[in-house]
Amino acid sequence: MIDKPESPFKLNSTRIIILALGALVLLISISMFSGGLGTYNALKEAANAAKTPSAEQVEPAQ
């Protein structure tokens, strides 16, 4: 009997590991291009600061 050749698109353990590592590299690349966690924290702090008025914005009561 002649065995059929294995499909090049069939997933095996090696291909799953390569796909997982590729997804990890893609996630890290997207994070680096978007500025990382430091920029996210600065943006979050700026958004919280914008919710409360500063001393210049509050008029003294007369």
Side-chain angles (χ1 to χ4, degrees):
M1 282 184 133
I2 299 174
D3 291 335
K4 280 181 130 180
E6 197 173 302
S7 172
F9 300 109
K10 185 177 180 183
L11 291 178
N12 56 23
S13 61
T14 305
R15 291 183 180 142
I16 291 173
I17 291 172
I18 291 172
L19 282 173
L21 290 175
L24 183 63
V25 167
L26 183 65
L27 181 67
I28 291 170
S29 299
I30 290 171
S31 176
M32 284 174 36
F33 283 123
S34 66
L37 291 176
T39 305
Y40 173 72
N41 286 334
L43 180 64
K44 190 167 61 171
E45 289 174 4
N48 288 335
K51 291 178 184 176
T52 59
S54 64
E56 293 84 22
Q57 294 172 336
V58 176
E59 294 182 20
Q62 293 180 0

